[in-house]
C-alpha cells in the first residue's frame, strides 16, 4: 500500500516521505548506518491508494557480522495514523477544557458582569 518500485524504497523511500519529515528521517538513517545502531521514529508516508500521508512508526535493526558491522538491516513500517489522530484529538479536547475552566474561574472572580450571547441574541453565559 505504501511502497512502489524497489529503487524508490532503496533510495530511502524516495518521495514517499512527507517533506517535513524527510530531513529528520534521512539524518537518523545516516547516523544509524554509520553507527550500526537500532532506531525508531514516527514519520508520515504517502499512502499510494488514497494519495494521503499517514503516520507510521518506523523501526530498523541491524544484523551484525562477527566484527560488529551491519551486514543486513531489518525494518518495519507500522501504520499508526488513527491512533495518532485519536491521541491528538484527545489532547486538543483537554486543552480546550482547561482553557474553558480557567476562563470561568477568571470571570467568576471579577466583580463586573460578564456575559456571552449567540449571534441570534440567546444568552449563553452570565457570571
Amino acid at each position: 500500500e505504501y511502497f512502489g518500485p524497489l529503487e524508490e524504497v532503496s533510495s530511502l523511500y524516495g518521495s514517499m516521505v512527507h517533506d517535513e519529515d524527510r530531513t529528520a528521517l534521512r539524518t537518523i538513517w545516516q547516523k544509524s548506518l554509520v553507527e550500526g545502531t537500532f532506531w525508531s521514529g514516527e514519520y508520515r508516508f504517502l499512502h499510494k491508494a488514497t494519495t494521503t500521508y499517514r503516520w507510521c512508526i518506523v523501526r530498523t535493526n541491524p544484523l551484525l557480522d562477527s566484527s560488529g558491522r551491519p551486514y543486513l538491516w531489518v525494518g518495519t513500517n507500522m501504520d499508526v495514523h488513527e491512533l495518532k489522530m485519536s491521541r491528538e484529538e484527545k489532547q486538543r479536547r483537554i486543552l480546550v477544557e482547561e482553557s474553558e475552566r480557567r476562563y470561568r474561574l477568571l470571570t467568576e472572580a471579577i466583580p463586573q458582569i460578564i456575559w456571552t450571547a449567540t449571534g441570534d441574541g440567546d444568552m449563553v453565559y452570565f457570571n
Side-chain angles (χ1 to χ4, degrees):
E1 293 178 45
Y2 291 91
F3 297 111
L6 183 58
E7 58 274 5
E8 202 174 288
V9 176
S10 62
S11 67
L12 192 57
Y13 310 113
S15 61
M16 297 174 10
V17 178
H18 192 281
D19 289 344
E20 294 175 10
D21 299 336
R22 193 171 295 129
T23 299
L25 180 56
R26 283 194 173 136
T27 300
I28 192 77
W29 177 236
Q30 290 302 318
K31 181 180 181 209
S32 185
L33 285 174
V34 169
E35 297 175 0
T37 55
F38 165 85
W39 65 272
S40 177
E42 291 185 9
Y43 306 97
R44 289 165 287 183
F45 284 83
L46 183 63
H47 185 260
K48 291 196 179 246
T50 62
T51 65
T52 60
Y53 285 95
R54 295 181 58 85
W55 284 99
C56 294
I57 292 178
V58 180
R59 293 187 173 123
T60 65
N61 200 31
L63 299 179
L64 307 176
D65 62 18
S66 59
S67 64
R69 289 187 305 250
Y71 69 92
L72 183 67
W73 290 87
V74 178
T76 62
N77 284 25
M78 182 173 27
D79 187 320
V80 293
H81 191 79
E82 281 80 15
L83 178 62
K84 187 162 182 79
M85 295 297 100
S86 173
R87 286 180 178 164
E88 287 179 4
E89 179 58 30
K90 181 179 179 181
Q91 185 62 32
R92 276 191 289 276
R93 280 195 313 269
I94 290 169
L95 292 173
V96 166
E97 289 168 4
E98 179 62 19
S99 176
E100 288 175 355
R101 186 186 71 77
R102 287 181 180 173
Y103 171 76
R104 289 195 185 277
L105 284 173
L106 178 64
T107 60
E108 296 297 330
I110 60 176
Q112 285 78 24
I113 295 174
I114 296 178
W115 56 271
T116 60
T118 65
D120 296 335
D122 294 331
M123 294 305 200
V124 177
Y125 175 78
F126 275 103
N127 68 337

